[in-house]
Structure formats: structure tokens, C-alpha cells
Amino acid sequence: MTSVLARRRNRIDDLGGRSLSADALIRLRRNPVAIVGAVIIGLFVLVSIFAPLIAPHDAAAVFPELQRNLRPDSIPGAQPGFPLGSDQNGRDFFSRLILASRQTLIVGVLATLIGLVLGVVIGALAGAFGGWVDTVLMRVTDVLLSIPSLLLAISIAALAAQPSQTTVIIAVALVNVPIFARLLRGSMLAQRESDHVLAATSLGVKRSAIVIRHMLPNAMGPVIVQATLTLATSILDAAALSFLGLGDGDPARAEWGLMLANAQAYLDVRPALAFYPAIAIILVALGFTLLGEALREALDPKGRR
Amino acid sequence: MLRFIVRRLIQVVPTLLLLSVLIFAWLRSLPGGPAAALLGDKATPEKIAELNTVLGLDQPIPVQYVKFLGRALTGDFGNSLITGQPVTAEIARALPATIELSIAALLIAVVLGIPLGYVAARYRGRPLDTATVIGTLVGVAVPVFFLGYLLKQWFAVDLGWFPPSGRQAVDIDATHVTGFAILDGLVTREFDASWDAIVHLVLPAIALATIPLAVIVRITRASVLDVMGSDFVRTANSKGLAPSTVRERHVLRNALLPVSTTIGLQTGLLLAGAVLTEKVFVWGGLGTLLADAITRRDYPRLQAVVLLGALVYVLVNLLVDLSYALIDPRVRVR
């Protein structure tokens, strides 16, 4: 009969003394869902980095040979030099599709990152201090959460006199703030009661050091998962704002959501103009969602054996 | 129980107050100030100064806020810049259309979602389950407005099975009593009007239902799996209860608790999705009202619709909370 302690020691030995994050990474690599997600996202990032090298033309350049053939009932398709033909304004559709990946990545990442940073600051303050700081901050986030997210994004984006990519990013980012704040705060509160924080407090570690070095890193798990999922929703929300006329007003700008929104009017003339950006958005959103779900599973300590 | 309801109602008050402060602040940060935004194209310095006096914008901010609150409580959100009519009246006219669409979408999501999630959980790991899970992931990743256009293009324009837009055919002479097209037809016994309204409802409702459907399937599946692994189900099985009895009386009943919360949370998504779907199908409800307000920068209308959206969301979730307390006695004790 082995003692409880011995059994626990064996279990730790089985883990090979790995940290939770190292262990999570290993489990992530074994998960086919994670691999599919990572491959999609990897391709997406690669294309957006090398976009100027892949794309034969400039996104804003209008070609007379394409523009000449534009008719109300037909948009020129593939021809030499233009693998996917023209868009509704006589520009090279293929180049725009490739170059748009970068703008879409920027929109998704910035909207998530700004939301994450602000949300983490608010959530950490609320979770670390508790008391009235917590009450005030959480009341405000609750109210923001009580406004359906797209309506909130619309209200913020509509405040800009001239909608642009920046206003879209800000609107989507601000919608994300209360979500991250709530999540981190909950996760911090759980940390506050934990033994390792009590131990650090007893050792006389400064309060700020406890929050930053002991509580935050341990509370970030759910936030990272949420951030991955938010990358998907941010891109979709930005597309929705563009569709409602709150996107960038410059028709030369190439971003998948904007291209999809602007192509709706030409759906019966050349469906491909909407289909390709739509498929790109769906794939990328799917990739981030798969990765996020896999991360959630991998970071769950209950999954460790 | 009564005390729980009262306490829960009181909790809503600060939320609504804070919401009003936010909307007030929003109004004040409009480009060029509220007066210029309200006047739109007609703004001249004299008119702005005049409106500032009328709106009381020359008074101290706390006084302004109290007046704003007073107007908001009496349902006065000013006149639409597009039509010049009171925004509240416009909303009242558009509301039935959106409610009809949202209820139809929610019905589709619940009626299909719960059985689908349940079946997926029962056949966990089999192809059916995998297909369902992939379907839910893709369903959430498709932009709602794009799906709306696809449905419209395929089933309305190409196949001609359904009308492409609107709530009722123009040539149908329907009498409107309640504003709910289907209900009106039933009340006035103009069944062809009802049927026509249903036919018009199909495509937009499907488009709007996709995301809530995907979410409900996932939550149901996860919740059923959770309950199937619990001790009381093992006990029920060990007692030798018929598997169908365990499934229906033990698993399904308990698994539906989290699902009911999700349905409440979906109303927010429905409102947001309705804006996009209604624009695609020219539906003429709140979403159309809002979409027009955005393109024309009709701030009074925008403000009122957003406030209403938040209000509905808060109230529906309050109702869900209360119903939760009815179903599960443990909630009341907290």
C-alpha cells in the first residue's frame, strides 16, 4: 500500500517535472484540432508577411485593360497577367485578395490586443484590490456587457465623423475590453484565495510583486484562450461594421471584410468577388476558433494525468 | 421566492442608471457636439446656438443629465433626422417585425439545436458527432450577412422558392391589427396573408438562426456529456433503470439547465444579427431602422435603438435568471 505522498510523487515523476505550460504545449502538438488550426493560421500569417512578394500588382492600381471591359452585367474574369480577373473597379482581384490578408491580420490582431491590454489592466486592478475599486469597475463592465456587442461597436464607430480602418479597430477593441476585464478579474479572485499567494504574503513579498509575479501569470490561462477566440470574432465584427457602412470609405483599400461588404452589390454579376474574401474570412475565423478550443483543452489542468 | 425576485429587480436599477450615463456621455461626444449632430446638414451657427438653448445644452452638465433622464423616462428621444417623426413612434412601428423574425430564428435554433446537440452527445466520437461539431464551428465562422445573401441568391433568385425580400407581398391586401404579420392574418381570418408572411419569413429566419443554433448545439452537447458522466446517472444505471428512462428523466432534464441560460444570452446575438439580416432582406424592422440611421448618421434614432437593445437584453436575462430560480431551488438560496 503506497502512501498518498508516494503516489503523488510518482504522478509528478510521470509528468517528467514539466510545467503546466510545457505540458500544455506537448498536449497541443498531439491534438489534431490544434494542428489544423495552427496550419491555417500559419499559412495566413505567412501569406500576409510575404503578400507584397506574392501579389503581382498594387492593390489600388486600376488597369485600363480591365476597366475597359467592365459592364453593369459583367466583370472580366481570369486573363493573362490577372489570374482571378478584375474586381468591380478594374483592379487586379488576385493581388487585392493576397494583400488584404495583411490588413485583415492587422485589424484582428490590433482589435484583440488593444482590448486585451485595457481589459487586463482593468481586470487586474479589480481582482487585485477588491472592495470598492472592484465594485465600480465591474459595474461599468457589466453595463457595457449588457449592450449587445455589435450595437455597442456601431455606437462607437458611428461617433467618428469619417469612418476608417482605425475607427473600426477602436470600436471592435472597446467591445472586447469588458469581456477580458471580467474574465481576468474572476480568474484573479480565485488566485487571491490560493495557498501560494498566502505563502508569498506570509514571506513579506510586496503587494505589487504578488499581483504582478504571482497572481497575473497564473490567472492568464483563460485570457489567452479568449484572446485566440476573440481574434476570430474581431475579424467577423469588423466585416459586419464594413457591411453596415461603418468601414473604411476608401474603395482602394484591400481588407477581406471590406471587400466582402463592397462585393455584395455585385453578387449576381460576379459571385467570386464575394466568395473568395468570404472563404478567406471563414477559414481564418475557423483557424483561430480551432486553435482557441484546443488551447482551452490543453491549458485545463484537469486534462493532466 | 418573492424576495429573490425583488432583490434581482433592484439589482437591475444601477445597471440601467449607469447605462443612461453612458448614453448621455455618448450624446455629448458626437462629432461637432450634440446640436450640430442633431441638425445634420441643416447646421448653421445660429441654428446650433438656438438648439443649444432649446436642448438646454448651455446649462451645467448635472442639470442637463437630469433633464435628459427625464426625457428618456417619458420615452422622448427626439425626432428622427431622416423622417422628422418621433423616434419612439418609429420604433413602436418597426418592433413587431423584428420580434417576429427573432422568435422565428430562436424557434429554429432551439427546436433543431437541442435534439442535435443531444444526439451528438449520445453518439460521441462517431462520424455524426464529428460532423455536428465541425458544423457548429463553421456556423459561427460564417459572416451572417454573407450567409443571408447566399440564401437569398440561391433559394430566392436562382430557384425562386422563396421571395427575396420584404415581409409580405405587395399585392396581398392584409389588414394590420397588431403589426405582427402572421398573427394579423390569423386574427382577421386572412389566412393567405399569414401564409405569405410565413413564406417571407423562412430565409431571413434561417440566416439569423445559424449562430444561435451553433451555440445551442454545442452547449447542449457539452452539458449532456457532463451529466452523463455524473454520479446520479451512474446510480440510475446501476439500479437497472431502463436506458430510455435514464436518458429522458435524468440526463435530459438536468442537461437543459445550462441550455436555458444560453438561450437568454442569445437574445443579444439575435438583436445584433437582426441588424445584418434585416439589411440583407429589406425586412423593415428595427435592424432596417438602425442600418438607415447609420448611413444617414441619424443619431437620435441610433441612440434609441441601442438603448432599447440593451434594455431588452437586460430584461430577457433577468427573466432567464428568474426562470432559473423556478427550475432550480439551489439558485434561490444563494
Side-chain angles (χ1 to χ4, degrees):
Chain A
M1 181 135 179
T2 45
S3 73
V4 175
L5 267 182
R7 248 187 289 152
R8 183 183 255 178
R9 204 162 49 227
N10 286 339
R11 209 164 55 211
I12 293 171
D13 285 347
D14 283 346
L15 284 171
R18 287 193 299 265
S19 70
L20 179 62
S21 49
D23 189 48
L25 202 64
I26 285 171
R27 260 183 293 144
L28 214 51
R29 265 193 240 135
R30 284 195 205 126
N31 186 347
V33 173
I35 305 221
V36 173
V39 167
I40 295 176
I41 300 310
L43 277 175
F44 171 48
V45 173
L46 276 182
V47 168
S48 62
I49 290 175
F50 296 108
L53 297 176
I54 305 171
H57 304 291
D58 189 68
V62 175
F63 293 90
E65 59 264 50
L66 294 176
Q67 203 180 22
R68 216 180 304 127
N69 295 322
L70 284 181
R71 304 268 180 284
D73 57 344
S74 91
I75 293 170
Q79 50 189 285
F82 305 101
L84 291 180
S86 169
D87 79 343
Q88 64 269 32
N89 296 311
R91 292 176 294 231
D92 179 32
F93 185 40
F94 176 71
S95 299
R96 289 175 62 74
L97 210 51
I98 296 292
L99 290 163
S101 62
R102 187 179 278 194
Q103 297 303 320
T104 303
L105 185 66
I106 290 176
V107 169
V109 168
L110 278 186
T112 305
L113 210 61
I114 297 172
L116 175 88
V117 170
L118 291 179
V120 162
V121 169
I122 295 173
L125 285 176
F129 288 104
W132 67 267
V133 180
D134 182 36
T135 313
V136 170
L137 288 175
M138 283 308 117
R139 271 273 163 246
V140 176
T141 54
D142 276 351
V143 173
L144 287 176
L145 284 174
S146 76
I147 304 174
S149 66
L150 188 66
L151 292 190
L152 183 59
I154 289 171
S155 327
I156 299 167
L159 282 180
Q162 203 63 51
S164 67
Q165 189 160 351
T166 318
T167 59
V168 171
I169 293 174
I170 293 174
V172 178
L174 290 182
V175 170
N176 291 333
V177 171
I179 302 170
F180 283 115
R182 262 246 160 248
L183 200 61
L184 186 73
R185 179 242 183 201
S187 167
M188 290 278 278
L189 279 187
Q191 292 288 320
R192 244 161 41 125
E193 312 297 324
S194 70
D195 291 341
H196 72 272
V197 170
L198 182 66
T201 316
S202 322
L203 285 169
V205 180
K206 267 194 299 182
R207 200 189 159 84
S208 57
I210 292 181
V211 171
I212 293 167
R213 299 203 38 203
H214 296 269
M215 285 167 67
L216 254 184
N218 283 303
M220 284 301 276
V223 175
I224 292 166
V225 171
Q226 181 63 39
T228 319
L229 298 172
T230 302
L231 280 164
T233 57
S234 294
I235 290 171
L236 290 170
D237 284 352
L241 285 181
S242 294
F243 173 68
L244 289 170
L246 288 166
D248 201 302
D250 180 6
R253 190 182 273 284
E255 192 269 318
W256 287 335
L258 201 60
M259 288 167 74
L260 173 60
N262 292 340
Q264 301 298 336
Y266 304 91
L267 207 61
D268 47 351
V269 184
R270 226 192 134 203
L273 292 181
F275 266 97
Y276 288 123
I279 289 168
I281 290 179
I282 294 169
L283 271 180
V284 166
L286 193 62
F288 280 125
T289 312
L290 290 178
L291 204 60
E293 294 297 333
L295 260 176
R296 190 204 302 277
E297 260 173 55
L299 282 174
D300 185 0
K302 279 183 280 181
R304 293 182 111 189
R305 264 177 246 280
Chain B
M1 187 63 199
L2 193 68
R3 261 182 58 201
F4 177 81
I5 296 176
V6 171
R7 201 174 60 208
R8 204 53 198 75
L9 276 173
I10 292 172
Q11 278 172 356
V12 175
V13 174
T15 309
L16 293 182
L17 268 178
L18 253 172
L19 188 67
S20 72
V21 174
L22 272 183
I23 296 266
F24 177 70
W26 180 83
L27 208 59
R28 291 201 56 86
S29 50
L30 286 175
L38 289 177
L39 284 168
D41 303 333
K42 292 170 282 183
T44 58
E46 299 85 57
K47 278 202 164 172
I48 290 180
E50 192 191 343
L51 190 62
N52 271 339
T53 330
V54 175
L55 293 177
L57 290 171
D58 45 359
Q59 289 168 325
I61 286 181
V63 178
Q64 281 185 38
Y65 171 70
V66 172
K67 288 198 167 163
F68 160 80
L69 199 61
R71 278 199 305 274
L73 284 176
T74 51
D76 175 12
F77 290 100
N79 295 337
S80 159
L81 300 183
I82 303 174
T83 59
Q85 291 180 337
V87 177
T88 322
E90 280 189 337
I91 288 182
R93 232 172 301 132
L95 203 55
T98 302
I99 294 179
E100 210 167 50
L101 178 60
S102 305
I103 290 179
L106 199 60
L107 264 178
I108 295 177
V110 170
V111 168
L112 286 180
I114 293 178
L116 213 57
Y118 176 71
V119 170
R122 242 193 101 184
Y123 299 99
R124 186 189 186 180
R126 306 257 197 93
L128 180 74
D129 177 36
T130 317
T132 309
V133 172
I134 293 175
T136 61
L137 290 172
V138 175
V140 181
V142 180
V144 177
F145 63 94
F146 178 64
L147 184 75
Y149 268 114
L150 278 189
L151 291 173
K152 189 171 156 175
Q153 188 69 31
W154 287 340
F155 295 104
V157 179
D158 294 346
L159 292 170
W161 291 356
F162 298 99
S165 60
R167 287 179 71 199
Q168 250 171 352
V170 203
D171 53 352
I172 286 215
D173 177 32
T175 326
H176 291 293
V177 190
T178 56
F180 293 92
I182 299 176
L183 198 66
D184 280 351
L186 294 179
V187 172
T188 58
R189 300 184 158 274
E190 295 167 334
F191 296 117
D192 56 330
S194 277
W195 177 246
D196 188 58
I198 293 174
V199 173
H200 275 83
L201 192 58
V202 174
L203 292 182
I206 293 175
L208 185 55
T210 40
I211 293 182
L213 174 66
V215 176
I216 289 177
V217 168
R218 292 193 51 187
I219 301 284
T220 310
R221 179 180 174 274
S223 168
V224 168
L225 284 178
D226 206 37
V227 175
M228 284 207 296
S230 66
D231 290 342
F232 69 86
V233 169
R234 196 183 51 188
T235 310
N237 279 324
S238 324
K239 281 199 303 190
L241 287 182
S244 61
T245 314
V246 177
R247 281 200 298 266
E248 282 152 27
R249 307 263 322 252
H250 295 71
V251 175
L252 203 55
R253 272 188 158 197
N254 284 288
L256 285 184
L257 278 170
V259 178
S260 69
T261 323
T262 318
I263 294 173
L265 292 171
Q266 295 307 310
T267 50
L269 272 178
L270 278 175
L271 277 168
V275 179
L276 302 168
T277 316
E278 287 192 13
K279 190 172 156 108
V280 175
F281 290 97
V282 202
W283 188 248
L286 278 186
T288 314
L289 221 54
L290 185 64
D292 286 348
I294 294 167
T295 33
R296 306 273 290 272
R297 289 291 187 279
D298 187 345
Y299 292 107
R301 202 196 253 182
L302 198 67
Q303 172 203 11
V305 175
V306 171
L307 189 66
L308 181 75
L311 214 61
V312 169
Y313 194 44
V314 169
L315 291 180
V316 168
N317 280 298
L318 178 72
L319 283 179
V320 169
D321 260 16
L322 295 180
S323 68
Y324 214 74
L326 268 179
I327 304 170
D328 188 349
R330 283 173 300 180
V331 178
R332 266 171 281 163
V333 187
R334 246 191 321 134

